[in-house]
Amino acid sequence: MRYDYLIVGAGLFGAVFAHEAAAAGKKCLCIDKREHLGGNIYTEEEKGIRVHKYGAHIFHTSDQKIWNYVNRFAEFNNFVNSPVAVYGEELYNLPFNMNTFSRMWGIKTPAEAREIIERQKREARAAFGETETAGNPKTAEPANLEEQALSLVGRDVYEKLVKGYTEKQWGRSCSELPAFIIRRLPVRFTYDNNYFTDRYQGIPVGGYTQIVEKLLEGIPVKLGVSFQEFVQSTGAKVPGRGSVNCSGELESTDRGDSFDKIVYTGMIDEYFDYCLGELQYRSLRFEEEVLEGCDNYQGNAVVNYTERDIPYTRIIEHKHFEFGTQPDTVITREYPASWKRGDEPYYPINDERNSSLYSKYAELAAKEKNVFFGGRLGQYKYYDMDKVIAEALKLAESELNRD
């Protein structure tokens, strides 16, 4: 079989591109190292509940085009993400809003909340060297994430809701983390617990897996095989590394299949056999528990635990994403983890060292003939789901309109 595209990765990016390419009359083959479709948005039914196997995923966007596109493949409910944070015996609403501040300080009005936050911000800035003369501040740049966060929200919010959670996420003290990790911390002076400000938001009724299944309908897919294994087992030759045939195709010498181009959504450094070194990631570990006879464990889909000495960052109760009424429930504790080669990479660490290394890999990628790198791992960038779809559609439009 001759294929126009080999799609490496059956997550959202790969599936959207494959769907668009197939609709344009192109022949595609999709492979994925996992034994299932969907990448990190994969959902699996347990006890009649759709379980988000790789952590909570709430679809949200302000892009009507993307919203209309994804609604072609699933019906979305009206779920609104309103997480709760636990600090000791205290419960706080997220994002930081008037419900949070009222609970924290016993105040009622936005003016009272603003006064407390601004005073604490001034105190924090003075502590790390910022001074103010005749109303003109002399700026001292925060030296680390702790100083940055304190200058954005003040000490109370930082200590209770930012510090421990962030240190668990990154596995380091906030005073050891670079300031740029937190560019901003949204503070809202309204009694609104909606975490996102996007116009469109919801969970697909029936889970996310169906979306990718429909996107890849009619397209051959091979699961449980990595790109490297595929190349080795089929004798495929990879464009751009001195191994292309005379017509510039990715060719399988054993099976007779040929591929004109590759859309690669795996780790960009792995594609190049880590020749310049490893990019770094943070990983996650999930501990799932089925609670039979318990119809409601925590009363909310997502509850964050912000103290550092509690090892998990949050507990997800999956049935609440779809307003479930099942007699049992399924919860998942989410533990941040360090990453090493072979672990699942979740969050790129976009510090100076990794950003510099990625730019070098990006230079190599730009020289690859007929290979396109996309998605969170291919572009070493965290993407929300709507942005993944937008990037895949952008590539499809650019690539397919060439013909």
Side-chain angles (χ1 to χ4, degrees), residues 59 61 63-71 386 389-390 393:
F59 196 91
T61 186
D63 189 328
Q64 188 174 18
K65 176 184 174 183
I66 299 301
W67 181 245
N68 291 339
Y69 184 87
V70 76
N71 272 266
D386 64 324
I389 294 172
L393 290 174

Side-chain angles (χ1 to χ4, degrees), residues 29-46:
L29 174 66
C30 184
I31 64 172
D32 198 291
K33 67 178 182 179
R34 290 175 174 170
E35 297 289 347
H36 59 72
L37 302 175
N40 286 353
I41 66 169
Y42 172 67
T43 49
E44 186 176 282
E45 187 168 316
E46 298 180 41

Side-chain angles (χ1 to χ4, degrees), residues 159-233:
E159 292 284 354
K160 292 188 175 184
L161 301 178
V162 177
K163 185 177 188 296
Y165 191 90
T166 303
E167 290 180 343
K168 286 189 288 187
Q169 277 188 314
W170 294 98
R172 293 164 62 188
S173 167
C174 285
S175 62
E176 298 173 351
L177 290 166
F180 72 80
I181 289 178
I182 294 182
R183 301 291 187 187
R184 58 190 294 270
L185 287 169
V187 175
R188 301 179 192 166
F189 295 98
T190 59
Y191 287 91
D192 182 4
N193 296 325
N194 185 352
Y195 194 83
F196 302 118
T197 58
D198 292 306
R199 179 177 180 183
Y200 307 106
Q201 181 177 173
I203 301 288
V205 178
Y208 283 99
T209 305
Q210 60 175 322
I211 295 176
V212 176
E213 289 174 342
K214 292 173 183 176
L215 284 164
L216 292 174
E217 189 172 338
I219 298 170
V221 179
K222 295 184 180 299
L223 298 174
V225 58
S226 70
F227 176 64
Q228 291 72 23
E229 291 167 340
F230 179 80
V231 169
Q232 292 171 6
S233 65

